[in-house]
Amino acid sequence: MDAIINCSPLPQFVIDSDHKVVYWNRALEEYSKLNATDILGTDNHWKAFYNSKRPCMVDLLVDEDIDGLAYWFLDNYKMSELVEGAYEGEHFSPHMGKGGKYLHFTASAIKDHEGNIIGGLESFEDITQRKIAENDLQESEEKFRSLVENLNVGVYRNTVDLGGYFIQVNQAFARMFGYESTSEIMETKVIDFFLDPSERITFLEDLKKEGSIIDRELHLKKKDNTPIWVSVSAKAHYNEHGTIEWVDGIIEDINHRKISEEALIKSEERYRSIVENINDGFCIHDFEGNILDCNENFALMLGSVPEEIIGTNLDEFSSNTMMLEKNNVTGELKKTGIVEFDADLLKKDGNRCYYNIKSSIVSGKNGDKVHSFIRDVTKRREMEEILHESEIKSQKRLAEIEAIYNSAPIGLCVLDRNLRFVRINDRMAKINGFPPEEHIGKTLQEIVPDLAEQGEIVAKEVFETKKKVMGREFNGITPAKPGVLRTWIEQWYPVKDSSNQIIGINVAVLEITDIKRADKALKKSEEKLRLAIEGADAVMWFWNLEKDVFEWTDRYINIFGTNPDPEMSYDDFLKSVHPEDREKVKNATQRVMQYGEDFKVELRTIWPDRSIHWVYSLGRLFYDFQGKPKEMIGIAIDITPSKLAEQELQETLKQLKRSNAELEQFAYVASHDLQEPLRMITSFLQLLQRRYENQIDSDANEFIQFAVDGAARMQELVNDLLTYSRIGRKTGKFEYVNTEDILKQITFDSRLLIEENNAHINYDSLPLVWADYTQMVQVFQNLISNSIKYNEQENPTINISAEKKINDWVFKVEDNGIGIDPKHRVHVFKIFQRLHGRDEYDGTGIGLAIVKRIVEQHGGMIWYESKPGEGSIFYFSIPQGDEKYEI
Ligand code: ADP
């Protein structure tokens, strides 16, 4: 026994029934650091294990105090499975070894053959290493558990049978599924977590097949039956037979992700369905125009399908390549993020269509893209073009209407309710006498006060009846023609707005002043004609050419001395004409028919009483609408009295001419023949005067002087008379005469007279005239000398000019002289007529008579204008270049 205990590597000790240590082996000495010598024979063995005195397990067994075990060792003891009646337990002795030791101890009572307890044995095993490992494991397990518990990832273990339960789950699992505790989960069948139990079957089948499943998404349900998306990864654990014993898995809540994913899918689907369903084309492209995606519509627009379009470039379809560049799409997009432009795209079949493109930048994970919505605006463009065309057309029409409006021969205007001009055409403006723009905004009263009252009355009628007023005659004066009473026919139309309210009046005005006047004039002239015809004892005739019948008015008898035959034909008429005149009548009639000339014939008729009467007949031919001669209308006047008077006149004229010629001859001869004796008287008188001047008294001298003067004057008169009578006799030589040269000659010849009187003679360039040079000199000479003579000014001024009037040159000789009293008007050009006495102005009174005669001989006329004290203007005309006036 001694040897056994001492040799045992296990620490052991033995006590006797009195609890005194009888054995204390070497191994125990090592462990406890208590020597056997100190312990043996004592009951201090407790010191090896405890700090204060207490029974060891062997003490209790020696005393057979089994209850004491429970008391002293709590539940840290158990009956040994190896030694009968022995007990074992574990204990940590902190003071033992380095840092204390875990000891496993086994104690048993030692009995004699009779079964009496004689002592007890307690042996120890150092389990410190195992215990530390166990503790470490437990600690790490603990840590893992708390990690697992705190994770939001569910961890579970279960079996693969369908009706199975979870063997183990963590808190997170419970939380995930809305359970209060893990144990509550354990009481729930695994299949009850599935929304769709068939999913569990598939899952298990797959697991059996694969041995593990990674990230399987399952749609499960929570405790309150709300669905939850989870991702499950599971691994099967097999037993030695190769069958699955349990499954470990982790389960992750992906509900949130799934829902947002679903939402994303939904929104994507929605977006796609929008994109697919919109009528617009849609495409996603990059900044270079490379098409990344597009909808059916866009493809359709290009006559294709999306698959063919995606991957191509927008510019391939653009009729003007560089569509994006041209429209600066990229630039605009980068600047504002959005751009809209119009472009035309070519379809596959070559048709060109117009599109409106709205592009915007959409940022994404893979950089910025362009989303473009393309709308077919071909129709709109066509419509626009049509619209544009029709706009141009209507503008043109408007311009035409405007032009018509303005150039209309009718005055048009629009007045507002206050009778203010709103619009007016040129004609109307002209009628009123103001430019169109000056009318706008002014009232009728302001523009045409004379017509305002009439206008206001008619306007009132229009406003009250709401009806147009037609054909009203307006009479009045407008500022355009002050003092002229004018007449218009006017139409006043109401202008209504959409609610049928009258907002103004449209006035159309047709001027009939002239028609009115013509009408009056016609009536007057008709009346005059009637009076004339009646007064002239004339008769009107109407010759119907178709029926060859003459009709006459009442006074036929006065001309033809009998009543007319109602069926009178042309031949019947000819019979009433003097046989000698019939040919003349026939010729005239023929000329009428052939050349359409008027019928003008003087004819003689023979009355039933054989007396002859002169008739002047005047007629005109009228045609039918086809241009065929239809009727001749004319008048016949009895001109017998005037014919007789004319015959008489002719006779008198002949006599007059004869006596005039005789008179001229006489004047000529007289003045010519008188000159000789006159010269003789004068020269003898002068001889008398010279020779006897000193021998006779002063009275006789004066008488002789009177006689000399008288003779000289008589000579002057005779000379002038001769000149005058010569004009009528002398055959002048006609030529082109430069009147300017004449003036030059006269101013030279009369320079003394001009200087003496301080006179000024002004003339412009003067014309060439067909005339007798000497006579023209005479004319100017006489007029100029009169202008100087009958002038009291310091500087007599004479202006001479010429003006062309139709076929004449009219010369003007203007002076600033004394002028001529109107009462002398009739005497000025008469021969020997003087307006002043000799003591006032010298002269014979024949100068102007000569001028008149010369002018008239040249086919011209002479007249004058004058006011006493204001000078005189003498005018005379000379027909230009007409040789018929040659004498
Ligand atoms: P006279 O030999 O008297 O000048 P005229 O026949 O030349 O005769 O003129 C007739 C009259 O007309 C003149 O007596 C003169 O009274 C008047 N007369 C002619 N010329 C002018 C003139 N330039 N200014 C004023 N009176 C004139």
Side-chain angles (χ1 to χ4, degrees):
M1 179 73 177
D2 220 8
I4 294 166
I5 291 171
N6 270 331
C7 291
S8 169
L10 295 176
Q12 288 177 341
F13 71 92
V14 180
I15 56 169
D16 61 12
S17 54
D18 293 332
H19 303 282
K20 300 281 188 298
V21 178
V22 284
Y23 290 101
W24 193 263
N25 78 346
R26 282 277 312 127
L28 191 55
E29 279 182 329
E30 267 307 297
Y31 269 88
S32 63
K33 304 290 181 212
L34 290 172
N35 289 327
T37 48
D38 296 330
I39 297 297
L40 287 174
T42 69
D43 56 1
N44 286 338
H45 51 278
W46 57 271
K47 285 186 178 168
F49 313 105
Y50 308 109
N51 291 330
S52 54
K53 190 176 179 183
R54 54 154 285 180
C56 294
M57 188 177 264
V58 75
D59 291 312
L60 295 171
L61 290 178
V62 166
D63 293 341
E64 286 185 304
D65 183 4
I66 299 304
D67 294 339
L69 284 176
Y71 178 80
W72 290 104
F73 292 94
L74 302 168
D75 51 356
N76 185 22
Y77 75 99
K78 63 179 185 187
M79 231 195 287
S80 170
E81 286 168 11
L82 300 169
V83 185
E84 210 193 310
Y87 283 87
E88 51 186 31
E90 282 173 5
H91 177 64
F92 179 68
S93 303
H95 53 274
M96 214 182 259
K98 204 179 169 192
K101 277 195 192 303
Y102 280 100
L103 296 175
H104 179 266
F105 50 88
T106 310
S108 59
I110 303 164
K111 292 174 182 174
D112 61 11
H113 344 290
E114 286 153 17
N116 299 315
I117 293 170
I118 53 164
L121 169 78
E122 192 164 314
S123 61
F124 301 91
E125 191 190 346
D126 185 353
I127 58 162
T128 308
Q129 287 307 317
R130 197 193 84 206
K131 216 49 183 173
I132 286 171
E134 253 180 31
N135 273 353
D136 281 357
L137 183 70
Q138 201 176 351
E139 212 175 291
S140 87
E141 245 181 18
E142 205 54 43
K143 264 192 209 154
F144 176 70
R145 195 198 323 276
S146 91
L147 184 78
V148 166
E149 290 304 331
N150 289 317
L151 260 181
N152 267 336
V153 175
V155 179
Y156 71 91
R157 174 174 292 176
N158 63 2
T159 50
V160 291
D161 51 334
L162 266 175
Y165 289 85
F166 284 101
I167 303 167
Q168 217 179 334
V169 296
N170 69 347
Q171 271 298 325
F173 192 111
R175 273 200 308 275
M176 200 181 286
F177 286 89
Y179 289 86
E180 262 131 56
S181 66
T182 50
S183 51
E184 209 183 342
I185 297 230
M186 310 293 208
E187 285 156 21
T188 314
K189 278 185 180 165
V190 176
I191 198 142
D192 289 341
F193 283 82
F194 280 81
L195 275 173
D196 176 6
S198 69
E199 257 197 311
R200 165 90 172 135
I201 301 166
T202 334
F203 186 82
L204 290 180
E205 277 171 1
D206 292 346
L207 192 64
K208 279 177 193 164
K209 231 187 282 166
E210 308 287 336
S212 68
I213 284 175
I214 294 179
D215 284 342
R216 167 77 54 94
E217 287 176 2
L218 294 173
H219 210 190
L220 304 182
K221 61 181 177 188
K222 292 191 188 181
K223 187 184 170 188
D224 61 1
N225 284 328
T226 55
I228 177 169
W229 276 100
V230 291
S231 164
V232 179
S233 297
K235 189 167 169 46
H237 288 266
Y238 300 87
N239 59 18
E240 63 269 29
H241 310 295
T243 55
I244 296 172
E245 201 154 273
W246 74 80
V247 177
D248 280 334
I250 56 169
I251 186 160
E252 200 186 342
D253 181 351
I254 57 162
N255 208 37
H256 194 69
R257 192 191 85 201
K258 200 71 186 167
I259 284 169
S260 55
E261 242 176 48
E262 255 175 21
L264 191 73
I265 289 169
K266 249 187 212 154
S267 89
E268 225 172 51
E269 270 171 4
R270 212 177 305 145
Y271 140 84
R272 191 146 280 280
S273 85
I274 289 170
V275 162
E276 287 302 336
N277 288 313
I278 50 170
N279 285 327
D280 289 345
F282 173 74
C283 84
I284 302 176
H285 57 90
D286 60 18
F287 289 106
E288 279 73 53
N290 296 313
I291 300 168
L292 308 169
D293 196 3
C294 78
N295 70 351
E296 297 259 0
N297 264 336
F298 180 62
L300 220 70
M301 280 174 178
L302 303 174
S304 183
V305 290
E307 295 77 61
E308 273 184 40
I309 300 295
I310 294 165
T312 58
N313 191 291
L314 275 174
D315 276 344
E316 288 175 33
F317 304 100
S318 162
S319 64
N320 49 351
T321 49
M322 324 282 277
M323 174 180 87
L324 297 182
E325 214 174 295
K326 210 189 108 220
N327 292 292
N328 189 25
V329 172
T330 311
E332 272 302 305
L333 277 175
K334 286 190 172 157
K335 207 159 72 188
T336 62
I338 194 154
V339 69
E340 183 174 348
F341 61 98
D342 280 356
D344 43 356
L345 296 176
L346 282 176
K347 283 191 170 198
K348 236 174 150 185
D349 59 12
N351 269 345
R352 183 153 48 141
C353 290
Y354 297 96
Y355 298 96
N356 173 265
I357 302 177
K358 281 186 191 139
S359 300
S360 53
I361 292 186
V362 175
S363 303
K365 272 183 267 171
N366 310 321
D368 289 352
K369 300 268 149 40
V370 184
H371 284 198
S372 289
F373 286 87
I374 299 101
R375 180 163 294 181
D376 189 341
V377 291
T378 313
K379 283 258 148 42
R380 192 190 79 193
R381 273 286 281 263
E382 281 169 10
M383 284 304 288
E384 272 172 6
E385 263 163 34
I386 292 169
L387 219 71
H388 184 66
E389 253 170 48
S390 80
E391 215 168 76
I392 288 175
K393 254 188 221 160
S394 58
Q395 264 172 5
K396 233 165 110 189
R397 274 199 73 97
L398 217 69
E400 279 168 14
I401 291 169
E402 188 77 24
I404 292 169
Y405 186 84
N406 272 332
S407 61
I410 292 172
L412 296 167
C413 71
V414 180
L415 302 172
D416 69 8
R417 281 198 72 102
N418 299 319
L419 304 189
R420 278 190 302 245
F421 285 90
V422 176
R423 209 187 146 92
I424 184 161
N425 77 346
D426 292 349
R427 179 60 171 230
M428 187 73 153
K430 214 167 269 170
I431 289 174
N432 293 348
F434 298 101
E437 58 278 7
E438 271 181 36
H439 286 78
I440 310 303
K442 297 223 179 88
T443 60
L444 214 56
Q445 177 70 45
E446 285 169 309
I447 297 287
V448 278
D450 202 41
L451 295 167
E453 201 190 323
Q454 297 167 65
E456 277 153 17
I457 292 167
V458 177
K460 199 169 165 231
E461 194 178 325
V462 173
F463 289 136
E464 274 170 10
T465 61
K466 291 195 170 188
K467 283 192 183 124
K468 59 186 174 192
V469 168
M470 304 288 285
R472 243 357 114 75
E473 192 175 304
F474 276 58
N475 290 292
I477 294 164
T478 70
K481 289 184 186 170
V484 179
L485 185 67
R486 303 163 75 182
T487 311
W488 299 273
I489 289 286
E490 304 204 356
Q491 330 272 39
W492 288 50
Y493 303 89
V495 178
K496 294 173 184 173
D497 66 7
S498 51
S499 55
N500 215 29
Q501 289 299 309
I502 298 180
I503 51 167
I505 296 173
N506 219 325
V507 183
V509 171
L510 177 68
E511 173 144 24
I512 55 158
T513 310
D514 290 344
I515 298 171
K516 264 289 238 240
R517 206 178 285 150
D519 200 30
K520 262 189 209 157
L522 187 72
K523 278 194 186 127
K524 220 167 157 183
S525 85
E526 262 178 11
E527 184 62 15
K528 265 192 204 157
L529 185 70
R530 197 181 61 79
L531 281 173
I533 289 170
E534 275 176 19
D537 237 349
V539 60
M540 278 193 84
W541 50 265
F542 308 86
W543 177 25
N544 185 328
L545 294 169
E546 222 177 324
K547 297 182 186 157
D548 186 20
V549 176
F550 271 85
E551 254 182 73
W552 301 84
T553 50
D554 296 351
R555 292 172 191 246
Y556 178 85
I557 191 164
N558 295 5
I559 290 172
F560 294 95
T562 176
N563 280 319
D565 172 359
E567 294 290 309
M568 186 194 288
S569 69
Y570 180 66
D571 288 339
D572 296 336
F573 163 69
L574 274 182
K575 279 178 200 155
S576 66
V577 176
H578 192 290
E580 283 175 18
D581 293 343
R582 281 179 197 161
E583 203 53 34
K584 189 160 78 174
V585 171
K586 275 186 194 164
N587 286 340
T589 311
Q590 204 185 337
R591 276 203 307 280
V592 170
M593 296 302 166
Q594 212 165 347
Y595 309 114
E597 278 178 19
D598 281 350
F599 179 82
K600 280 178 195 164
V601 174
E602 267 183 18
L603 53 93
R604 286 166 293 174
T605 60
I606 305 168
W607 284 26
D609 63 1
R610 311 301 303 162
S611 62
I612 290 171
H613 293 255
W614 280 94
V615 172
Y616 177 63
S617 188
L618 188 70
R620 182 165 289 180
L621 182 59
F622 293 90
Y623 303 85
D624 68 6
F625 66 95
Q626 287 170 316
K628 230 169 73 190
K630 184 183 155 199
E631 186 178 31
M632 254 179 90
I633 299 175
I635 55 166
I637 312 165
D638 182 357
I639 53 163
T640 313
S642 69
K643 205 69 193 169
L644 292 175
E646 194 191 317
Q647 276 172 359
E648 235 168 83
L649 195 71
Q650 287 297 335
E651 199 54 41
T652 322
L653 231 106
K654 257 188 228 160
Q655 281 172 10
L656 199 70
K657 265 188 186 160
R658 218 167 25 237
S659 72
N660 236 0
E662 280 167 8
L663 207 68
E664 249 171 44
Q665 181 69 13
F666 165 75
Y668 179 74
V669 171
S671 51
H672 187 266
D673 291 358
L674 272 173
Q675 272 187 331
E676 179 51 29
L678 247 178
R679 260 198 300 274
M680 210 160 77
I681 293 170
T682 309
S683 53
F684 278 104
L685 273 174
Q686 284 167 343
L687 190 69
L688 209 66
Q689 193 181 32
R690 269 200 310 273
R691 200 168 288 179
Y692 300 102
E693 200 176 9
N694 301 322
Q695 294 164 36
I696 49 175
D697 62 9
S698 59
D699 276 356
N701 247 330
E702 204 177 349
F703 296 152
I704 293 172
Q705 185 59 44
F706 285 149
V708 171
D709 278 0
R713 213 167 65 241
M714 183 149 178
Q715 200 162 19
E716 224 177 293
L717 273 169
V718 169
N719 261 337
D720 282 352
L721 187 64
L722 192 63
T723 315
Y724 182 80
S725 60
R726 265 200 195 124
I727 297 164
R729 296 170 48 81
K730 205 180 142 198
T731 308
K733 188 181 170 301
F734 267 61
E735 59 190 338
Y736 276 109
V737 174
N738 188 338
T739 44
E740 217 173 304
D741 288 347
I742 292 175
L743 263 287
K744 276 181 198 156
Q745 192 193 321
I746 292 170
T747 45
F748 181 77
D749 293 348
S750 314
R751 60 192 181 283
L752 274 178
L753 178 76
I754 294 168
E755 271 166 33
E756 264 168 33
N757 289 284
N758 279 325
H760 296 283
I761 300 174
N762 308 314
Y763 52 92
D764 298 330
S765 63
L766 296 172
L768 282 179
V769 289
W770 186 255
D772 179 308
Y773 184 85
T774 330
Q775 288 185 352
M776 284 317 283
V777 172
Q778 183 96 56
V779 167
F780 282 107
Q781 179 72 63
N782 288 8
L783 289 174
I784 289 168
S785 60
N786 274 353
S787 289
I788 297 174
K789 189 176 9 167
Y790 300 104
N791 203 314
E792 298 297 331
Q793 303 284 341
E794 292 253 308
N795 298 98
T797 306
I798 302 139
N799 297 318
I800 299 157
S801 59
E803 200 184 333
K804 181 96 175 284
K805 290 246 170 93
I806 313 175
N807 292 320
D808 294 341
W809 279 107
V810 175
F811 290 87
K812 183 177 172 188
V813 179
E814 183 182 12
D815 65 46
N816 58 347
I818 59 165
I820 301 164
D821 195 319
K823 69 180 179 201
H824 298 311
R825 183 161 281 277
V826 287
H827 306 301
V828 173
F829 295 105
K830 282 192 180 154
I831 193 163
F832 301 135
Q833 292 280 349
R834 302 211 61 240
L835 314 178
H836 299 92
R838 278 178 56 79
D839 45 343
E840 280 179 283
Y841 298 100
D842 197 18
T844 53
I846 210 164
L848 286 180
I850 291 172
V851 170
K852 186 169 187 271
R853 197 141 200 224
I854 294 173
V855 168
E856 283 172 356
Q857 289 283 359
H858 278 76
M861 293 201 312
I862 182 159
W863 67 99
Y864 74 94
E865 284 169 8
S866 180
K867 266 186 196 164
E870 287 179 23
S872 320
I873 307 170
F874 279 85
Y875 297 95
F876 67 91
S877 65
I878 300 290
Q880 63 155 346
D882 194 340
E883 294 171 37
K884 85 178 182 195
Y885 290 104
E886 201 167 345
I887 302 164

